Amino acid sequence: MKVVWSENAETTFDIIVLYIESEFGIISAKKFITKVDSVIHSISIQPYIYKSSSFNNKVRKASISKQCSLFYEINQEAIQLSYFWDNRQDPMI
């Protein structure tokens, strides 16, 4: 399926990449980007591979790493990437 990035997904992804780069270096940031690409590729092939989130059954949560998750929705036309979440942040309400 086609994967579409929301503006929020682009913004939160960029923020996390910049944080990783500043704290851990460019190599770690590149590894993170590679991992994200791999997860998105898996989602495009098997959209239902990850479980629905606990707060909304239409939103699915993909684990990128222990520290980061990707939330997305499956529509008839495409997979909409909603946002990236740093799991070390305060929980969402």
Side-chain angles (χ1 to χ4, degrees), residues 4-84:
V4 178
W5 287 64
S6 70
E7 187 175 324
N8 198 20
E10 290 178 6
T11 301
T12 53
F13 174 76
D14 289 343
I15 289 168
I16 291 172
V17 169
L18 288 172
Y19 172 77
I20 293 170
E21 189 175 325
S22 69
E23 293 296 316
F24 307 104
I26 190 108
I27 294 172
S28 294
K30 286 182 180 182
K31 286 180 183 179
F32 174 76
I33 293 167
T34 300
K35 178 68 175 170
V36 168
D37 288 342
S38 175
V39 168
I40 292 172
H41 179 73
S42 295
I43 291 169
S44 72
I45 295 170
Q46 295 181 326
Y48 296 95
I49 192 170
Y50 294 101
K51 292 183 179 182
S52 296
S53 68
S54 59
F55 64 89
N56 183 339
N57 65 359
K58 292 183 179 181
V59 176
R60 295 186 170 267
K61 178 182 176 183
S63 178
I64 303 297
S65 68
K66 185 170 68 172
Q67 298 85 9
C68 183
S69 298
L70 165 62
F71 290 85
Y72 67 98
E73 293 183 52
I74 305 165
N75 302 320
Q76 289 181 351
E77 309 83 39
I79 297 164
Q80 176 80 34
L81 303 184
S82 300
Y83 56 92
F84 290 83

